Amino acid sequence: MTAPKDEKDVTGEKVDAAAAAKAGSPVTGAQSTTEAALEAGAQNAPTGAEHRTSIPVVEVRTGMFGVHGTGDTSGYGGLVTTVTLPGPSERPYGGWFDEVVDVLTEVLDESGTGFANAVEAVVVDREQLTLHVAREHVVEVAQALRDDPDLRFELSLGVSGVHYPHETGRELHAVYHVVSVTHGRRLRFEVAVPDGDAHIPSTTTVYPANDWHERETFDFFGIVFDGHPGLARIQMPDDWPGHPQRKDYPLGGIPVEYKGATVPPPDQRRSYS
């Protein structure tokens, strides 16, 4: 009698990944990810430009519902899921995406900057166009997107931050969403910087409404926007240590009293795992 197909060792990488994260082996987020699991995930990751292929795997998750070790009673303790970033796309991008990239290429080449120097990658994912922009050229790219009559992305929806601890040298990302009211289009551009040098030129001279959003991103992620008219924390106290929305920020907290009962901070509550 032959074994069912799903019980066979389909690939060596899959077996290695499952073995690396089998039930009973505690895994804490992405930081205890094994090399075998990363290699298994990288095989399914999109490929592209050289500067992007070294960091396709964001995280390797095991089990279900964030439970690790013997506390996983869902029956999925051996489940291994890789979380990857989409890689650069190849032309044609589809729809109006090609037109926008062509116009932006023309504008940047005419200015002497060059599209290849300003834009690190073009990514089309989930029917959305994303430009990965070098930080030293972010203001010029934003101004070209706003001012060129064939682009006219005149409305910025703000700036937000993302933290990828495993993306060495590109741990912090600032993400900008812009809209062309004139042409009825929307795209996003993204700037990545290392944790040790988290400086990005401010875009408030192009999109004044980004003032408050850059302050929020500075407050929660620690990205410093050089040239901002008044960069300061927007919600946390000025002397607050750390940046609360980074993935490596400690859980912490303070006790909360509610109708005579005291709820302890999250890091002091009972653990079920």
Side-chain angles (χ1 to χ4, degrees), residues 141-161:
V141 170
Q143 189 153 2
L145 290 172
R146 185 196 68 178
D147 293 347
D148 189 276
D150 293 325
L151 297 175
R152 291 296 291 154
F153 288 91
E154 60 269 85
L155 173 64
S156 173
L157 300 182
V159 188
S160 57

Side-chain angles (χ1 to χ4, degrees), residues 109-123:
D109 288 348
E110 288 180 354
S111 71
T113 299
F115 181 85
N117 294 325
V119 179
E120 299 173 346
V122 178
V123 177

Side-chain angles (χ1 to χ4, degrees), residues 62-85:
T62 61
M64 290 284 284
F65 312 117
V67 181
H68 308 295
T70 57
D72 188 352
T73 59
S74 66
Y76 292 93
L79 181 65
V80 178
T81 305
T82 56
V83 182
T84 61
L85 293 172

Side-chain angles (χ1 to χ4, degrees), residues 73-239:
T73 59
S74 66
Y76 292 93
L79 181 65
V80 178
T81 305
T82 56
V83 182
T84 61
L85 293 172
S89 303
E90 296 182 358
R91 301 188 69 124
Y93 305 125
W96 52 265
F97 296 167
D98 293 272
E99 177 188 346
V100 167
V101 172
D102 287 341
V103 173
L104 186 60
T105 300
E106 181 180 350
V107 173
L108 293 175
D109 288 348
E110 288 180 354
S111 71
T113 299
F115 181 85
N117 294 325
V119 179
E120 299 173 346
V122 178
V123 177
V124 177
D125 184 55
R126 295 175 176 84
E127 299 182 355
Q128 186 175 47
L129 175 64
T130 300
L131 305 174
H132 290 267
V133 180
R135 61 175 165 183
E136 58 269 23
H137 300 297
V138 63
V139 175
E140 182 180 1
V141 170
Q143 189 153 2
L145 290 172
R146 185 196 68 178
D147 293 347
D148 189 276
D150 293 325
L151 297 175
R152 291 296 291 154
F153 288 91
E154 60 269 85
L155 173 64
S156 173
L157 300 182
V159 188
S160 57
V162 189
H163 183 210
Y164 296 111
H166 270 72
E167 198 170 351
T168 306
R170 299 167 56 88
E171 293 88 355
L172 295 170
H173 291 225
V175 183
Y176 306 75
H177 293 261
V178 292
V179 174
S180 172
V181 179
T182 301
H183 301 295
R185 298 169 175 174
R186 177 185 302 223
L187 64 77
R188 62 197 293 273
F189 57 97
E190 191 169 331
V191 180
V193 293
D195 191 1
D197 184 22
H199 288 261
I200 298 175
S202 173
T203 57
T204 53
T205 56
V206 181
Y207 297 114
N210 284 356
D211 186 331
W212 298 97
H213 296 274
E214 289 184 354
R215 285 185 58 189
E216 184 179 51
T217 305
F218 163 71
D219 190 355
F220 291 144
F221 291 92
I223 298 176
V224 179
F225 293 93
D226 297 327
H228 188 282
L231 193 63
R233 288 190 182 266
I234 195 169
Q235 292 193 25
M236 308 302 293
D238 291 337
D239 58 350

